[in-house]
Each structure stands twice: as structure tokens, then as C-alpha cells.
Amino acid sequence: HVMEVEYDPDLPICIWEDPGYGHAHAIEVAQIAPGGQVRVFDEIYERGIITEDMIQMCLYRPWWKSRAKAVVIDPNYSDQHHATHSIAEIWLAKTGLVPMQMKKLRISEGTERMKTFLKVNPLTGVPGIVFHPKCKGILSELGAYPDPFDGQTRVYSWKTDREGNVVGDEPDDRWNDGCKAV
């Protein structure tokens, strides 16, 4: 699932965002290759950075010049107004892009959907999604790298009790910003 996939100027760009400030603010950038494989080739994964500044970072990336771009924002935050403009309104004002409206999913639904992409297609022999090694934020959430902020192991996982037994039927809603963006 980790391979050096590069931006292809002939394919549309998917920009997926999970806003955050105290935890990670994740923007994952992908393209869907012929055959359907999702290729996450870039990431902006920061803490303590507001949406306007995250967008500014996008504007300086070489892939921003692509004419075919779509933005998807975590629907739990897309239209919320926290004493300012919503995330969707900020994207529209700064870039002219209207974020796509997505259905809100329970964490377990999103996790199951991600698992389907992680599987290797038995006909093609390739997984449904791959990540460039520079995408250390999401890869740390999936267990491939340490947390980029402090070097600790911080993997998206199930809630557990003191003895390490799984508790409940939903994963712990943290260390998952890149995963939620995707």
C-alpha cells in the first residue's frame, strides 16, 4: 500500500479534508488511475493551522494547476459556522471550488469502506488504494510510520479497557484525521 505514486496531469484531482486545529488538520490529495486504483500522492498534515492557511499551502503545490479538481470536506464540519465562515464557504471564497456534499457516515461505516479499498483485487493483484511514502500523517494512523508530530506510535484503533480488551462497537475517534479525510 506504500509506493511512490506521482501526480498525473491528465487525471482529475481529489482533495479530501478533515479539518482540525488541536489535533491534525489533514488534506489528502489523490487521483483515480485507469482501472480504479486510488493513488494518494500528496498530503498536508498539520496541527494548529487554520483552513485559510491550509488552502494557501494547496495553492503552492504543483498539482494545483490541474483544471479538474474536486474538494470533499468531512461533512461534520463542512457547513458549521464557528463564529466565522464555514469550511465550505472558505474553500469557495479562496479557490472558487464548491466542495462536494457528502453523506454523513458513522465511523464504523467509513472504516468498513476504507477496508474495501485496502484489499488486494484478486483479478488485478493490486490494492484499491495506495499511498506515497511522503504521506506520513495518514500512514502513521494506519501503523506504517510514527506520528509526525511527536514520533510516538499513534494508530487509529479500537477503544480498550485497562486490560487491553476491546470495548464497544466503534473505534476510538482519534488518530484518524487522514483516514477520515479519505
Side-chain angles (χ1 to χ4, degrees), residues 73-126:
I73 303 166
D74 179 337
N76 292 307
Y77 301 99
S78 180
D79 297 323
Q80 288 185 10
H81 293 82
H82 295 285
T84 186
H85 301 289
S86 72
I87 304 295
E89 290 168 341
I90 294 168
W91 272 96
L92 178 60
K94 297 285 182 187
T95 68
L97 295 175
V98 177
M100 296 175 60
Q101 294 297 315
M102 302 304 291
K103 174 186 160 198
K104 289 184 182 182
L105 297 176
R106 292 184 39 198
I107 290 175
S108 58
E109 292 173 299
T111 302
E112 289 304 313
R113 183 71 174 136
M114 176 68 103
K115 285 182 192 177
T116 65
F117 283 99
L118 291 169
K119 291 180 182 176
V120 173
N121 182 321
L123 300 175
T124 64
V126 298

Side-chain angles (χ1 to χ4, degrees), residues 26 28 45 110 114 138 141-142 156 175-182:
E28 305 295 332
Y45 195 87
M114 176 68 103
I138 191 167
E141 296 170 5
L142 295 169
Y156 184 33
W175 321 122
N176 61 354
D177 303 287
C179 291
K180 284 173 74 175
V182 170

Side-chain angles (χ1 to χ4, degrees), residues 5-72:
V5 291
E6 301 298 331
Y7 161 64
D8 181 341
D10 296 327
L11 295 175
I13 302 288
C14 303
I15 304 166
W16 299 319
E17 180 184 27
D18 182 49
Y21 189 81
H23 54 91
H25 189 148
I27 293 179
E28 305 295 332
V29 187
Q31 293 179 301
I32 301 172
Q37 185 182 55
V38 177
R39 296 178 176 170
V40 182
F41 66 88
D42 199 9
E43 169 183 74
I44 302 171
Y45 195 87
E46 299 289 339
R47 187 181 284 165
I49 304 290
I50 61 173
T51 298
E52 288 91 338
D53 293 337
M54 295 291 281
I55 293 170
Q56 194 65 36
M57 289 179 212
C58 289
L59 296 175
Y60 287 110
R61 301 291 173 119
W63 49 260
W64 186 261
K65 295 175 187 156
S66 173
R67 296 176 53 91
K69 294 185 283 293
V71 175
V72 178

Side-chain angles (χ1 to χ4, degrees), residues 133-160:
K134 70 182 174 186
C135 299
K136 294 189 185 313
I138 191 167
L139 288 170
S140 73
E141 296 170 5
L142 295 169
Y145 289 112
D147 183 291
F149 299 122
D150 63 12
Q152 300 295 311
T153 300
R154 306 225 190 275
V155 179
Y156 184 33
S157 55
W158 292 98
K159 295 177 188 176
T160 57

